Amino acid sequence: MALIVQKYGGTSVGNTERIKNVAKRVAQYRKKGEQVVVVVSAMSGVTDNLIQLAKEIMPLPNEREMDMLLATGEQTTIALTAIALHALGVPAISLTGAQAGIVTDGVHTKAKIQNITPKQVHALLDAGEVVIVAGFQGQTLEGQITTLGRGGSDLTAIALAAALKADLCQIYTDVDGVYTADPRLVPGARKLQEISYDEMLELASLGAKVMQSRSVEFAKKFGVVFEVRSSLNDNPGTIVKEETASMEDVVIRGVSLDKNQAKVTLVAVPDKPGVAARIFNALADATINVDMIVQNVSHGAGVPATDLSFTVDKADALKATKVIETLKGEVGYHEAISDEKICKLSIVGVGMRSHSGVAAKMFETLAEEGVNIGMISTSEIKISVIIDLAKGEQAMRAVHRVFLG
Ligand code: ADP
Ligand code: ASP
Ligand code: MG
């Protein structure tokens, strides 16, 4: 008897018809004698709506209360999914993250899983139940409800698959698998049969929201092989696994666009030791993840000064500017400017390690499209550029055409 973890995302449980379809699929697996753990997201749009409601009251709501609020989205879906299975005569029981034994740290809205004690899940499976677990949520040791960051149901599924030593982990979504680029933005995007953890991790962190990046990190760490596939058909999906030798033959595996970035620039920061450390320590203390950082050469006579730019998630931009403002007197910069009209375009592939000229080709393509590059960052297997938001999709299609046909 195999143990399968299946995760269904927001669109896959977007209305009661879809939830009934999920129940049918689960029932089929169970009929074959498999034990099934189902992880579900909130119905599509629900998490966004809840965030909107809170922001109508105040722009920076308390993060503990946000977790209390957002966790309700998934709680609705687990119960409806259990009811849909009951309607088919399948024994099923829903569990919150806490009931499933998911213990996290106390960093509200982006908590990290510390451990999972799936005793109750095992017991219920052994008693013949389908176990339905609320994605995206956990609980601290002190009993506070936490959430795992946007897209966090992927992490719940991967972490449960690791903790339960599942034989199979399937991530059901609204596309057939992982594509060379978001198929909604690039009509010529192709479905990949397989992709390495490192490539999937880069694509995910660089904006391909098909998988939450932290979930891929977790899968890599614990060797959880998983399949991304559609809940709307039976097509085989994309297998995400450890890199194999032949994967290096492909130079670029995919292109991604992240429109969720904002750039903060500190104008005329005194150019002396300790300033950058002070700024980025303050941001880290506020649990703001900084992505790219660029510091220009010094300018001005007298006290040398420099411009310092960094990028953060749009959701953190306001918080970042607030933190920076508290440092104005101490650091002595001229002004802080936040720019939300930017995006990050990236190309990813393990084959980049063994092929040269990739960056040149990307920059040339952007030049031909009349796209100006604001910031550049590279790693062994990716190149990212910050460009004008309005030109993001056009640039993405051009780069995809040049590298992936
Ligand atoms: P779910 O609600 O199932 O978690 P998401 O909306 O989080 O689904 O992720 C699926 C979406 O990711 C797709 O609808 C697609 O538009 C988008 N996406 C972005 N990049 C890619 C890619 N490279 N391959 C497939 N889908 C992608
Ligand atoms: N409902 C959460 C979100 O919208 C978690 C998830 O869907 O994975 O981010
Ligand atoms: Mg998702």
Side-chain angles (χ1 to χ4, degrees):
M1 190 195 314
L3 197 168
I4 306 178
V5 173
Q6 298 186 332
K7 178 256 171 176
Y8 293 90
T11 317
S12 306
V13 292
N15 55 45
T16 47
E17 273 319 302
R18 293 263 167 94
I19 291 176
K20 286 192 218 166
N21 274 336
V22 166
K24 270 190 215 142
R25 190 184 291 268
V26 173
Q28 277 166 13
Y29 275 93
R30 198 163 167 290
K31 223 173 165 181
K32 288 190 253 169
E34 325 283 31
Q35 291 188 322
V36 191
V37 173
V38 181
V39 174
V40 286
S41 293
M43 295 164 82
S44 63
V46 165
T47 309
D48 285 337
N49 280 342
L50 292 170
I51 294 174
Q52 180 59 29
L53 288 177
K55 293 205 163 156
E56 277 171 22
I57 301 174
M58 69 184 289
L60 264 184
N62 176 281
E63 289 175 337
R64 177 195 180 276
E65 301 310 326
M66 283 311 284
D67 279 353
M68 189 63 91
L69 178 66
L70 298 190
T72 62
E74 271 67 15
Q75 216 165 309
T76 308
T77 338
I78 48 171
L80 290 174
T81 308
I83 292 166
L85 279 157
H86 296 165
L88 299 177
V90 177
I93 182 165
S94 63
L95 299 179
T96 63
Q99 289 172 327
I102 299 174
V103 176
T104 73
D105 64 18
V107 182
H108 285 291
T109 76
K110 36 185 137 170
K112 289 208 165 68
I113 294 180
Q114 285 183 329
N115 62 67
I116 299 184
T117 316
K119 234 175 54 198
Q120 196 179 350
V121 177
H122 274 304
L124 290 165
L125 287 172
D126 291 343
E129 303 271 354
V130 169
V131 180
I132 300 151
V133 180
F136 177 56
Q137 54 171 263
Q139 197 179 53
T140 65
L141 275 177
E142 295 76 34
Q144 299 293 330
I145 293 175
T146 52
T147 63
L148 309 174
R150 296 307 304 268
S153 299
D154 295 333
L155 179 57
T156 306
I158 303 273
L160 270 176
L164 294 164
K165 300 190 172 55
D167 301 290
L168 203 60
C169 178
Q170 301 173 320
I171 307 290
Y172 285 93
T173 183
D174 55 3
V175 284
D176 278 4
V178 180
Y179 280 67
T180 50
D182 187 339
R184 295 184 205 288
L185 300 181
V186 180
R190 285 176 283 114
K191 184 175 81 182
L192 300 165
Q193 270 180 1
E194 55 177 27
I195 183 169
S196 70
Y197 289 128
D198 286 337
E199 288 169 326
M200 187 68 249
L201 185 54
E202 288 285 11
L203 281 181
S205 352
L206 297 168
K209 72 163 185 164
V210 62
M211 286 298 298
Q212 187 214 31
S213 60
R214 278 177 50 204
S215 71
V216 185
E217 227 171 335
F218 199 102
K220 177 178 160 73
K221 192 164 165 191
F222 293 94
V224 179
V225 175
F226 61 94
E227 181 185 13
V228 180
R229 54 186 296 178
S230 172
S231 66
L232 309 169
N233 59 47
D234 287 320
N235 298 341
T238 303
I239 305 291
V240 188
K241 58 176 195 183
E242 200 47 78
E243 187 179 329
T244 57
S246 65
M247 284 180 175
E248 282 218 20
D249 298 344
V250 181
V251 185
I252 300 300
R253 183 82 53 192
V255 178
S256 65
L257 184 68
D258 186 354
K259 296 183 189 173
N260 226 339
Q261 295 254 309
K263 180 166 84 170
V264 181
T265 302
L266 278 71
V267 180
V269 185
D271 194 7
K272 59 180 190 199
V275 169
R278 184 70 195 92
I279 292 167
F280 292 107
N281 267 328
L283 292 167
D285 288 345
T287 63
I288 295 169
N289 292 326
V290 174
D291 180 24
M292 281 194 216
I293 302 173
V294 169
Q295 184 177 313
N296 291 339
V297 286
S298 299
H299 53 74
V303 185
T306 172
D307 290 351
L308 180 67
S309 296
F310 60 87
T311 60
V312 293
D313 271 1
K314 256 189 196 131
D316 277 339
L318 183 58
K319 197 168 157 195
T321 344
K322 287 236 154 77
V323 170
I324 295 297
E325 272 160 17
T326 63
L327 300 175
K328 190 158 190 207
E330 184 189 338
V331 170
Y333 61 85
H334 178 63
E335 62 172 328
I337 306 165
S338 166
D339 181 0
E340 301 206 347
K341 293 208 162 51
I342 56 140
C343 61
K344 180 167 65 175
L345 175 66
S346 311
I347 54 178
V348 171
V350 290
M352 245 186 245
R353 292 194 202 111
S354 47
H355 292 78
S356 58
V358 179
K361 195 161 152 187
M362 181 185 192
F363 300 158
E364 204 177 276
T365 308
L366 293 172
E368 278 160 15
E369 294 289 317
V371 176
N372 191 48
I373 300 173
M375 293 164 110
I376 300 173
S377 102
T378 61
S379 81
E380 241 196 334
I381 67 163
K382 71 119 204 254
I383 301 168
S384 301
V385 293
I386 295 291
I387 57 176
D388 185 3
L389 180 60
K391 292 198 171 160
E393 292 185 15
Q394 168 204 344
M396 184 192 204
R397 283 191 280 267
V399 167
H400 188 274
R401 196 183 327 114
V402 166
F403 285 101
L404 293 153

